[in-house]
Amino acid sequence: MVEDVRRALMEGLRSVPSVGAVITGQAAQLPFFVVDSDGGEVEPVSACLRDLMLGDASPLTCRSYAFDLLRWHRLLWCLETGWEKATEADVATLVGWLRTARNPQRERNRPGSAPAGSVNLKTGKPSLRTGYAPATINHALTVVHGFYSFHGRFGDGPVMNPVPVSAQRRLVLAHRSPLEPVPFVRRARLRQKVPRQAPRAVPDALRDELFAAMGCDRDRALLEFYVSSGARASELLGLTAEDVDWGGQLIYVVSKGTRIRQPVPASPDAFRHLGRYLAADGLPSAGEPLWRTRRGEARPMTYWAMRRVLQRANEQLGTNWTLHDARHTAATRMAGDERLTLAEVQTILRHAHLDTTGHYLTARIEDMHDKLQEHYTRPRPQRSYPAGYDPDDIKAVFGG
């Protein structure tokens, strides 16, 4: 019975078969597409992804949407339900399954690594939990809703979009000025609560420790650029020699959102370490990546290679820092500098909205350590009375 399968999926007693796959495409208008268990292209998904790419979306966005739609179709195949006959009950099954299912990405930890969901006592950062995060579930709902909205324009699919929406939220946010605070509205049904966490910046003492764990000038230069410029991981790794302005102490990166080449300032120490790295390893050819591997034949340094550099440092120090923590570090230090306005920090970080930059003004417990210790050790104020008053009489009248 279908209802028995639904209940088993939502209670974690059954898993969805890993059939089908996301395949890299050759055409620019469809960089990724989904195939079923027989290797045949799932055309309804491809049509939606082509429309997504016509809106000038990034190929990585297409890839993300493809995996979400593959997960959705795997569920429908398990329930033996056609995509055009999906109901809200199927969406509820998806959410219930994701809330209880294991996440294969969380099972790639190295031997001896911290258990999923545990907190690193040195950094205060929790490791990722075993299942799917609430933000991941909400993203899946957004993708599935967009999939049916696209087909609904052409009269395909179910009459009603199976993903519930919050009419109140859409009404309130439809005509809101970006200068106004975001009003509180209830979440749509099935949407998960996503707590807003404070940015995880690396404290100065631990930053010096992390910098000392870097094994070469290339890694020192990369880390210093990350924590001083606030550039994203992929943006910095995409630099070429032509993107470095030595005199102006600037680097030119292609921004993730706008994909526009923009200048970003960095610290003198970052350029100093970069000069040492290039003096030892040589200048790259015109148009070649600035950052290269150092083992074997020189190749462009990838995100995963830089991630491995940081993993080795974490294993040595007993920490769990990530590359994005370096951007948080740069943003927090800039936002806390009274000589920089919030609008200037927004320009450097290339945030689309000032609200995002303001998030880095949040006070952090680790930054208040010295103030708190002084507060806790301060003597308690002693009660005194004006001359002529007997403390025993005061106690008898007012208590004590």
Side-chain angles (χ1 to χ4, degrees):
M1 292 292 292
V2 175
E3 290 303 322
D4 294 336
V5 176
R6 292 185 198 277
R7 188 176 299 107
L9 289 172
M10 297 177 71
E11 295 177 356
L13 303 177
R14 178 171 176 170
S15 60
V16 173
S18 299
V19 295
V22 173
I23 306 297
T24 303
Q26 302 298 324
Q29 65 270 23
L30 190 62
F32 297 94
F33 60 94
V34 175
V35 296
D36 56 22
S37 58
D38 297 326
E41 181 178 350
V42 183
E43 185 54 39
V45 174
S46 297
C48 180
L49 295 179
R50 287 193 189 94
D51 183 74
L52 177 70
M53 294 304 297
L54 288 176
D56 199 24
S58 164
L60 292 179
T61 301
C62 178
R63 180 177 181 271
S64 173
Y65 275 50
F67 274 105
D68 277 325
L69 291 175
L70 171 62
R71 187 186 297 121
W72 169 244
H73 278 74
R74 281 175 173 173
L75 176 70
L76 294 179
W77 294 332
C78 179
L79 297 175
E80 298 181 355
T81 302
W83 71 270
E84 69 283 357
K85 298 180 180 179
T87 65
E88 190 171 321
D90 298 316
V91 178
T93 304
L94 173 69
V95 173
W97 168 57
L98 291 178
R99 285 174 58 89
T100 58
R102 64 177 184 84
N103 188 341
Q105 298 293 331
R106 304 292 182 263
E107 299 178 357
R108 297 182 179 181
N109 294 331
R110 298 176 63 84
S113 60
S118 61
V119 177
N120 186 291
L121 297 181
K122 193 168 186 179
T123 64
K125 287 183 53 183
S127 59
L128 297 174
R129 67 182 194 180
T130 55
Y132 290 91
T136 302
I137 299 175
N138 288 345
H139 186 271
L141 291 174
T142 299
V143 173
V144 174
H145 181 273
F147 172 76
Y148 283 101
S149 294
F150 165 75
H151 285 287
R153 298 190 194 102
F154 306 99
D156 299 330
V159 176
M160 294 288 293
N161 195 312
V163 181
V165 298
S166 172
Q168 178 195 13
R169 178 180 178 82
R170 295 194 169 215
L171 180 64
V172 170
L173 299 182
H175 303 289
R176 184 184 68 88
S177 168
L179 299 178
E180 298 175 356
V182 179
F184 173 79
V185 290
R186 293 184 60 85
R187 303 189 309 272
R189 181 175 175 269
L190 303 180
R191 292 280 175 169
Q192 307 297 293
K193 182 187 298 183
V194 181
R196 187 173 186 179
Q197 299 179 348
R200 284 293 181 182
V202 184
D204 289 341
L206 296 182
R207 174 178 170 270
D208 295 339
E209 188 181 71
L210 180 62
F211 186 81
M214 297 293 105
C216 61
D217 285 319
R218 181 204 63 185
D219 298 343
R220 296 186 192 100
L222 275 165
L223 180 60
E224 189 63 34
F225 270 112
Y226 277 128
V227 299
S228 64
S229 69
R232 298 176 179 88
S234 58
E235 294 173 348
L236 190 58
L237 292 176
L239 291 181
T240 64
E242 293 78 14
D243 294 325
V244 181
D245 180 0
W246 295 91
Q249 301 283 277
L250 298 170
I251 55 175
Y252 287 83
V253 302
V254 179
S255 292
K256 172 187 174 183
T258 61
R259 281 175 279 169
I260 299 175
R261 188 171 180 265
Q262 294 177 292
V264 177
S267 70
D269 285 340
F271 287 93
R272 190 176 302 116
H273 289 296
L274 176 60
R276 292 173 182 170
Y277 158 60
L278 295 178
D281 289 39
L283 287 170
S285 303
E288 292 294 321
L290 186 65
W291 312 103
R292 293 155 291 170
T293 57
R294 304 181 71 246
R295 297 180 181 178
E297 182 181 355
R299 301 181 307 276
M301 193 169 184
T302 63
Y303 170 83
W304 303 108
M306 184 58 203
R307 188 168 178 260
R308 183 64 191 124
V309 169
L310 196 59
Q311 283 178 341
R312 285 195 292 266
N314 282 328
E315 292 169 1
Q316 176 183 338
L317 302 173
T319 54
N320 60 344
W321 301 118
T322 64
L323 288 177
H324 204 64
D325 290 336
R327 178 171 169 84
H328 284 184
T329 302
T332 302
R333 295 178 67 183
M334 291 179 193
D337 192 334
E338 60 184 12
R339 292 165 295 184
L340 291 174
T341 66
L342 202 59
E344 291 170 339
V345 178
Q346 178 192 12
T347 301
I348 297 172
L349 297 176
R350 291 157 287 122
H351 286 151
H353 303 287
L354 193 62
D355 289 346
T356 305
T357 312
H359 185 43
Y360 292 96
L361 292 174
T362 305
R364 300 183 305 143
I365 295 296
E366 51 265 36
D367 293 336
M368 296 186 289
H369 179 270
D370 293 339
K371 292 182 180 180
L372 289 172
Q373 294 305 312
E374 181 182 352
H375 166 75
Y376 294 141
T377 57
R378 186 181 301 131
R380 296 178 59 184
Q382 298 296 323
R383 182 178 298 175
S384 61
Y385 305 101
Y389 285 89
D390 187 344
D392 293 334
D393 293 339
I394 296 292
K395 184 177 181 180
V397 175
F398 298 103

